[in-house]
């Protein structure tokens, strides 16, 4: 008896791409498009709405408030104030990021309340903007006197 040996030869129409080759071509086209944007601007100085350049960290820190606090000690010297320790708050909690002016005012009020009557707390705060840091509170006067 004769064994029949089957050889699988794919029957494909001539000129047609396989699925693997089609995926490779699509990947290469997308990767080329992604690389063309930064290369066009950085190498050739060409700016186009179709070939976008990469921008890292364009909006990081916008609207975030950077604040530091000091309290006047009994000897009259200003000493750095740790808001987390004074308010008994965790360092990874809500008090870590002061998002807007209202939250800054709330933190200042809480610090003044905990420090007690007649406390002298100085606050330096700045707001992150596209043009750079904008000073929103200086340490020129007692924040608890407001």
């Amino acid at each position: 008896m004769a064994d029949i040996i089957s050889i699988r030869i794919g029957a494909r129409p001539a000129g047609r791409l396989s699925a693997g080759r089609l995926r490779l071509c699509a990947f290469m086209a997308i990767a080329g498009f992604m690389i063309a944007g930064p290369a066009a601007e950085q190498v050739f100085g060409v700016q186009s709405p179709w070939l976008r350049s990469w921008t890292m960290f364009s909006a990081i820190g916008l609207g975030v408030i950077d604040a530091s606090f000091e309290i006047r000690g009994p000897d009259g010297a200003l000493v750095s104030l740790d808001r987390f320790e004074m308010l008994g708050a965790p360092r990874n909690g809500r008090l870590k990021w002061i998002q807007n002016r209202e939250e800054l005012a709330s933190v200042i009020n809480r610090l003044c309340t905990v420090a007690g009557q007649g406390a002298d707390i100085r606050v330096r705060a700045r707001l992150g903007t596209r043009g750079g840091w904008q000073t929103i509170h200086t340490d020129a006067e007692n924040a608890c006197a407001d």
Side-chain angles (χ1 to χ4, degrees):
M1 198 180 277
D3 290 342
I4 300 176
I5 299 174
S6 173
I7 299 175
R8 297 193 75 187
I9 299 176
R12 287 181 283 181
R16 189 150 184 221
L17 291 176
S18 69
R21 287 185 189 250
L22 188 61
R23 281 193 299 269
L24 178 63
C25 289
F27 171 77
M28 295 299 284
I30 292 169
F33 183 73
M34 288 174 60
I35 292 171
E41 185 171 342
Q42 294 173 10
V43 176
F44 304 111
V46 175
Q47 291 184 339
S48 167
W50 297 102
L51 297 174
R52 301 291 305 256
S53 180
W54 291 346
T55 304
M56 290 183 69
F57 310 119
S58 67
I60 195 102
L62 287 181
V64 173
I65 294 178
D66 175 37
S68 62
F69 304 90
E70 294 178 324
I71 190 167
R72 192 167 303 279
D75 60 352
L78 287 173
V79 179
S80 181
L81 178 101
D82 184 359
R83 67 181 183 254
F84 303 103
E85 185 178 312
M86 189 161 187
L87 296 175
R91 292 191 181 276
N92 60 354
R94 183 144 171 79
L95 194 57
K96 183 176 182 178
W97 301 106
I98 300 174
Q99 298 292 329
N100 52 42
R101 293 173 192 253
E102 291 78 26
E103 284 186 25
L104 177 63
S106 171
V107 170
I108 292 170
N109 288 337
R110 289 171 56 194
L111 287 171
C112 290
T113 301
V114 170
Q117 184 82 19
D120 185 0
I121 295 179
R122 305 295 171 127
V123 179
R124 275 189 306 274
R126 56 189 185 162
L127 174 68
T129 64
R130 286 213 185 267
W133 289 105
Q134 175 189 24
T135 301
I136 58 173
H137 207 288
T138 64
D139 61 352
E141 57 188 43
N142 183 0
C144 295
D146 294 340

mmCIF file of all heavy atoms in Angstrom, residues 19 36 50 73 76 100 110:
data_model
loop_
_atom_site.group_PDB
_atom_site.id
_atom_site.type_symbol
_atom_site.label_atom_id
_atom_site.label_comp_id
_atom_site.label_asym_id
_atom_site.label_seq_id
_atom_site.Cartn_x
_atom_site.Cartn_y
_atom_site.Cartn_z
ATOM 1 N N ALA A 19 -0.479 38.205 6.269
ATOM 2 C CA ALA A 19 -0.908 39.004 7.415
ATOM 3 C C ALA A 19 0.287 39.504 8.221
ATOM 4 O O ALA A 19 0.315 40.648 8.686
ATOM 5 C CB ALA A 19 -1.843 38.186 8.302
ATOM 6 N N ALA A 36 9.313 60.928 12.084
ATOM 7 C CA ALA A 36 9.427 62.020 11.115
ATOM 8 C C ALA A 36 9.107 63.375 11.744
ATOM 9 O O ALA A 36 9.713 64.382 11.376
ATOM 10 C CB ALA A 36 8.504 61.763 9.928
ATOM 11 N N TRP A 50 1.102 68.501 10.253
ATOM 12 C CA TRP A 50 1.001 67.073 10.000
ATOM 13 C C TRP A 50 2.120 66.294 10.661
ATOM 14 O O TRP A 50 1.945 65.136 11.034
ATOM 15 C CB TRP A 50 1.003 66.794 8.504
ATOM 16 C CG TRP A 50 -0.191 67.409 7.843
ATOM 17 C CD1 TRP A 50 -0.226 68.557 7.111
ATOM 18 C CD2 TRP A 50 -1.535 66.939 7.899
ATOM 19 N NE1 TRP A 50 -1.489 68.827 6.706
ATOM 20 C CE2 TRP A 50 -2.327 67.844 7.174
ATOM 21 C CE3 TRP A 50 -2.147 65.852 8.494
ATOM 22 C CZ2 TRP A 50 -3.691 67.682 7.036
ATOM 23 C CZ3 TRP A 50 -3.515 65.691 8.348
ATOM 24 C CH2 TRP A 50 -4.260 66.599 7.629
ATOM 25 N N GLY A 73 9.868 81.936 66.531
ATOM 26 C CA GLY A 73 10.077 81.279 67.817
ATOM 27 C C GLY A 73 10.059 82.269 68.966
ATOM 28 O O GLY A 73 9.955 83.482 68.769
ATOM 29 N N GLY A 76 12.440 85.146 68.810
ATOM 30 C CA GLY A 76 12.242 86.097 67.723
ATOM 31 C C GLY A 76 12.771 85.636 66.380
ATOM 32 O O GLY A 76 12.559 86.298 65.371
ATOM 33 N N ASN A 100 -4.669 74.907 44.849
ATOM 34 C CA ASN A 100 -5.117 76.241 44.457
ATOM 35 C C ASN A 100 -5.028 77.194 45.645
ATOM 36 O O ASN A 100 -4.647 76.808 46.746
ATOM 37 C CB ASN A 100 -6.547 76.184 43.897
ATOM 38 C CG ASN A 100 -7.498 75.471 44.825
ATOM 39 O OD1 ASN A 100 -7.467 75.657 46.033
ATOM 40 N ND2 ASN A 100 -8.343 74.617 44.265
ATOM 41 N N ARG A 110 -5.547 76.630 59.175
ATOM 42 C CA ARG A 110 -5.370 75.490 60.078
ATOM 43 C C ARG A 110 -4.087 75.629 60.892
ATOM 44 O O ARG A 110 -4.076 75.347 62.100
ATOM 45 C CB ARG A 110 -5.366 74.183 59.288
ATOM 46 C CG ARG A 110 -6.740 73.820 58.742
ATOM 47 C CD ARG A 110 -6.709 72.656 57.781
ATOM 48 N NE ARG A 110 -6.103 71.456 58.346
ATOM 49 C CZ ARG A 110 -5.720 70.417 57.621
ATOM 50 N NH1 ARG A 110 -5.870 70.429 56.313
ATOM 51 N NH2 ARG A 110 -5.192 69.358 58.203
#
